[in-house]
Amino acid sequence: MTTTTAPTATATSPSDAAPSDAAPSDASPAAASPSRPDQAYVHGYSPAEARRLGDQADTLAGLLHAGTVYPPGSRVLEAGCGVGAQTVHLLEASPGLLLTATDISADSLARARARVAEQLPEAQVSWHHGDLHRLPFPDGSFDHLFVCFVLEHLADPAAALTALRRVLRPGGTITVIEGDHGSAFFHPRGEAAQRVVGHLVRLQADGGGDSLVGRRLYPLLAGAGFRDVSVAPRTVYADGGRPDLAEGFTRRTFVAMVEAVRADALAAGLDTAEDFDRGVAELRRTAEPDGSFHYTFFKAVAVNP
C-alpha cells in the first residue's frame, strides 16, 4: 500500500454514471468522520462504534454498493473514509482501483489502514489525513468520487460538495450515499422508541449535522454544479423472515447507534434514564420474529460538467 500522494493513473471513462439497479441499499445511517476539526461527530470514536460501522458495512454491502464498479486504473477518491468499513467493499468490487482515502480523524484513518492491510493487503491505496474542504490535490485529479455517510455530519454540505467537485475531472462521476432517520418506521410502534430516534435527530442537528439529509441529495448536488443527477432510494426492510437483517441492521446497527447517544441525550435533558432505556427496549423489540423494521437510504450519482 502506498501513502498520501494522489494517484497518477490516466483518466478512464466513468462507469458509475448510472446505477445498474434501484435495489435497496445498505442500512444504517452512519459512518464517516466529520470533515472539519470543529464538527461534532454524534456517534463518537469508540471501539464499539468502529465495530458498529463494520457490522453495518458488511451487512448491507450488497445493497449499498450495487451498481458501483470502477474500471481498473480508475483514480477514485473516497472522501471521509472513517474507519475503512466502506473502503474494503469499494476495493473488493473494483479490482485494480487506484484509491485515495481521506479523513479528518487521524485515529479513524489509522483504523482504516489497518483494516485494509488485514483484509486486502495487495490493494493500492493512498491515505490522506485532512479536511475535505481543503484537499491538497490539483484540479481534476480524480476520475470518480465516493462519499458515504459524510454529508449528514456537516454544517454546510453544499460547500463540501463544491470543494470536492474541484478535484474531479470533467466528465467524472460522484457517488453519494446518505440515510434519512425520518424514514425509520417499525412494528410494534412504541412511543418511547419514536422519541429516542427523535433524540438522535435532535442531537445531530445540535452538533451542526442533518440526519435527514438523504432527502436533500438532488438539490445539494445540482446546487453544487453537478449535472445528470440521479437519486434512487435503497430500502432496508427486516422482519421475522429475514433474521440476518434483523440482527445485523436493526439490532447491531440502528439500535446500537441510538444506544450510543444515551449519555448525550441525558446530559441535554432530552429524556430520563428510565424513559430512554424504555425506548431502546422498544426498538429492540422490533427485531423479534413478530416485529419489523424499515429504513431508507438514498444513493445519488452525478457528473462533473
Side-chain angles (χ1 to χ4, degrees), residues 203 257-268 272-274 276-277 280:
L203 289 167
M257 179 177 57
V258 173
E259 282 185 292
V261 302
R262 182 182 189 273
D264 290 338
L266 300 185
T272 66
E274 180 181 6
F276 189 94
D277 294 343
V280 169

Side-chain angles (χ1 to χ4, degrees), residues 88-108:
V88 293
H89 294 290
L90 277 176
L91 293 166
E92 287 174 340
S94 299
L97 175 68
L98 300 177
L99 183 66
T100 296
T102 181
D103 202 87
I104 192 65
S105 165
D107 180 68
S108 293

Side-chain angles (χ1 to χ4, degrees), residues 122-157:
E122 301 305 316
Q124 298 185 59
V125 182
S126 297
W127 302 97
H128 173 72
H129 175 221
D131 185 343
L132 64 76
H133 296 79
R134 296 185 290 272
L135 293 172
F137 309 117
D139 293 0
S141 293
F142 299 96
D143 303 311
H144 307 283
L145 307 178
F146 183 82
V147 185
C148 185
F149 304 142
V150 175
L151 300 185
E152 64 169 306
H153 301 294
L154 306 182
D156 191 351

